[in-house]
Every structure is written in structure tokens, then in C-alpha cells.
Amino acid sequence: MLVSKKNRIIVYSYLFKEGTIVVKKDVEADKHSDQLLVRNLEVMKLLQSFSSRGFVTETFNWQYYYYTLTDEGIKYLREYLGLPEDIVPATLKKTVNVTAKPSYRKTGDDDKRKSFGGERRGDRDSYRKKEVV
């Protein structure tokens, strides 16, 4: 299928940026999505071609195709789009989750809390040791 170079670059750029793409099996759709204003049939055929060349992995489930870039596909798209080596797809970016560790205030009661029951243990022991008269 002939796809214009403009549409090809739009789809390839989106695929490289995200690293994955989901395509509904609907050849009649006028556009793929709000992000890709390209006919769905063109997107399907471009990715079918990528799949046959080993540039993406294809999974089909419930009338949707799920495509994920392979290392060969990343190399090809970098070459085709003229991108530098330091730009990587979103699926390969490492996310850094910075969570604040809870701060525990140190008080003078720390020694009491280390043993189970704290000071109360002494009270219980003395109660139990009472002699019954």
C-alpha cells in the first residue's frame, strides 16, 4: 500500500517517541486517534510491514493489535528519522520514583518502646507475683 511520506514520518515519529502503539482492527476508520490524524488502515499496514521485517513485536487480542519496538526497530527509526543516539523511546526511559521517607522523631521514650510493652511490663510482673493470702 502506498503511504505518503508525511504520514509515514508522523507514524514513525509517534512510534519512536512512545515505543509502543495500539491499533484497532478497523480498516474503515478515518483517523487512528487524536494524536495520529492518519487513516487507521495506513497505520495498520505500516506496522504490518514493520512486523514482517522484525522491527516490532505484534500481539493481537480482542480486535486490537499491540505493537512494541524491538532493538532493530529502534536502530532503523533512528537512521530513518535522523535522530541522535541519546534519544530513546518512552518504554526504555528509566523512571525515578522519588518518595519522601517518613521522618521519625526521636524522643526520650525510645528505650521504653524497644521491649514489648515498655514500662507496663514491670507493672504486670509485679501484679502476677503477688502472693495470694
Side-chain angles (χ1 to χ4, degrees), residues 126-133:
S126 64
Y127 173 76
R128 290 181 184 148
K129 290 182 182 177
K130 263 186 182 175
E131 293 184 23
V132 179
V133 180

Side-chain angles (χ1 to χ4, degrees), residues 71 77 99 120 127:
D71 292 336
L77 286 178
T99 57
R120 294 182 287 161
Y127 173 76

Side-chain angles (χ1 to χ4, degrees), residues 1-12 21 23-24 26-32 36-50 67:
M1 174 176 205
L2 292 176
V3 179
S4 70
K5 188 170 184 175
K6 182 184 93 173
N7 288 349
R8 184 182 307 260
I9 289 175
I10 290 171
V11 173
Y12 288 177
I21 192 168
V23 182
K24 185 176 183 181
D26 182 13
V27 296
E28 303 288 325
D30 290 333
K31 64 178 182 173
H32 172 70
L36 288 174
L37 301 176
V38 179
R39 287 183 32 216
N40 199 42
L41 179 63
E42 291 178 351
V43 176
M44 283 174 58
K45 292 303 175 183
L46 285 172
L47 291 168
Q48 185 179 30
S49 171
F50 261 42
Y67 295 99

